[in-house]
């Protein structure tokens, strides 16, 4: 019978206030949940990040043993040998999660949302996961955002883009200069390498911001989201 299909990811959803014509998938940081990421953004904005036409989906990573926490179970998108940018990626766990997240994308497509009307991104590990998913497996998405995130120096993402010919989703990256967990230089290097491989990428720098989100950043992200997923004007028949 082969492998059992992975269980569908739990998710917290902010429905559009009007007609649903686009979707946004926000991936939380390590040890968090979809619910937690949604609540954090709600706290910063004093309201949900909501749109007239965009459904916002916050999935939760399944719990798994996480090596940086000495093998304790944690809600992480993939495992890491350690948190550094010059060690190998734990490609096995990254690839199996790409499958689960592909199912989530396919659910939106089944709901009639074209892939060029779907954005994916996240905070910290969630942003790293989003870059793997989009640049290796779903190059027809509308765009990718990565907040306080990085890719390892020899990332499979870079290997995939070296062989790539097609148009790529735009990347919106934000990073605080005071980040002590994911160094600003790691985010900057990720941005430079992706640009050199043909990705149209911006990097928004936040002085004195640590490994966290702030209101200015979320507002900037919201403006970019609306730019990438504008309200569709119904065509006159």
């Amino acid at each position: 019978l082969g492998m059992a299909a992975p269980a569908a990811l739990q998710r917290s959803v902010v429905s559009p206030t009007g007609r649903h014509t686009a979707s946004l998938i926000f991936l939380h940081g390590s040890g968090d949940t979809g619910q937690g990421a949604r609540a954090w953004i709600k706290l910063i904005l004093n309201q949900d990040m909501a749109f007239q036409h965009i459904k916002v989906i916050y999935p939760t990573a399944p719990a798994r043993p996480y090596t940086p926490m000495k093998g304790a179970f944690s809600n992480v998108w993939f495992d890491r040998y350690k948190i550094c940018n010059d060690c190998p990626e734990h490609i096995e766990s990254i690839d199996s999660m790409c499958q689960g997240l592909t199912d989530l994308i396919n659910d939106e497509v089944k709901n009639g949302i074209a892939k060029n009307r779907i954005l994916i991104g996240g905070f910290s590990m969630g942003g790293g996961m989003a870059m793997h998913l989009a640049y290796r497996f779903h190059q027809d998405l509308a765009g990718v955002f990565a907040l306080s995130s990085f890719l390892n120096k020899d990332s499979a993402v870079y290997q995939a883009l070296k062989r790539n010919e097609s148009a790529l989703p735009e990347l919106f990256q934000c990073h605080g200069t005071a980040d002590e967990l994911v160094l600003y230089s790691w985010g900057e290097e990720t941005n430079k390498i992706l640009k050199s491989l043909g990705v149209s990428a911006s990097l928004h720098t936040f002085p004195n911001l640590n490994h966290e989100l702030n209101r200015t950043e979320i507002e900037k992200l919201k403006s970019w989201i609306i730019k990438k997923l504008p309200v569709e004007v119904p065509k006159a028949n």
Side-chain angles (χ1 to χ4, degrees):
L1 285 168
M3 290 285 290
L9 296 170
Q10 286 184 307
R11 55 198 89 168
S12 180
V13 174
V14 181
S15 298
T17 53
R19 195 168 72 91
H20 176 208
T21 65
S23 295
L24 168 73
I25 299 169
F26 188 107
L27 306 178
H28 62 74
S30 57
D32 202 355
T33 60
Q35 221 92 28
R38 176 182 175 175
W40 190 20
I41 288 176
K42 197 172 181 171
L43 188 72
I44 295 168
L45 295 177
N46 293 316
Q47 59 182 19
D48 265 318
M49 181 166 73
F51 303 90
Q52 180 195 332
H53 60 296
I54 305 168
K55 173 178 169 185
V56 184
I57 305 164
Y58 296 94
T60 294
R64 58 160 300 131
Y66 188 46
T67 303
M69 283 171 47
K70 299 187 168 48
F73 270 69
S74 185
N75 294 91
V76 289
W77 297 109
F78 50 87
D79 198 6
R80 284 191 168 125
Y81 297 106
K82 50 179 194 273
I83 300 172
C84 65
N85 72 337
D86 54 3
C87 53
E89 289 175 321
H90 196 288
I91 200 70
E92 221 172 317
S93 60
I94 293 173
D95 286 358
S96 80
M97 189 48 63
C98 281
Q99 191 45 62
L101 288 164
T102 292
D103 292 344
L104 187 60
I105 292 171
N106 289 341
D107 282 350
E108 292 310 293
V109 173
K110 281 181 203 129
N111 288 332
I113 305 301
K115 282 184 71 185
N116 66 2
R117 295 284 291 168
I118 300 174
L119 277 179
I120 184 152
F123 175 72
S124 192
M125 175 186 262
M129 186 74 231
M131 290 187 277
H132 272 274
L133 188 66
Y135 293 119
R136 293 176 56 213
F137 301 104
H138 298 281
Q139 296 182 348
D140 47 355
L141 290 170
V144 186
F145 60 93
L147 316 173
S148 313
S149 307
F150 75 103
L151 291 170
N152 295 26
K153 283 187 193 294
D154 60 350
S155 176
V157 173
Y158 303 149
Q159 310 310 319
L161 293 180
K162 278 175 186 156
R163 301 186 293 270
N164 177 66
E165 297 299 313
S166 62
L168 295 162
E170 185 187 324
L171 175 69
F172 177 93
Q173 221 179 324
C174 295
H175 216 115
T177 58
D179 196 327
E180 286 161 10
L181 185 68
V182 175
L183 302 186
Y184 177 78
S185 59
W186 300 358
E188 193 179 37
E189 183 185 59
T190 299
N191 191 271
K192 279 201 182 102
I193 297 175
L194 288 172
K195 270 190 175 142
S196 75
L197 293 167
V199 175
S200 162
S202 57
L203 175 59
H204 304 267
T205 302
F206 294 83
N208 309 320
L209 186 69
N210 204 317
H211 196 65
E212 57 196 338
L213 297 170
N214 73 12
R215 187 167 184 143
T216 318
E217 180 182 12
I218 305 282
E219 295 292 0
K220 263 195 171 152
L221 174 64
K222 279 187 75 172
S223 307
W224 180 78
I225 290 167
I226 295 284
K227 196 183 88 188
K228 299 309 291 180
L229 300 175
V231 176
E232 284 186 334
V233 182
K235 293 171 187 67
N237 42 12

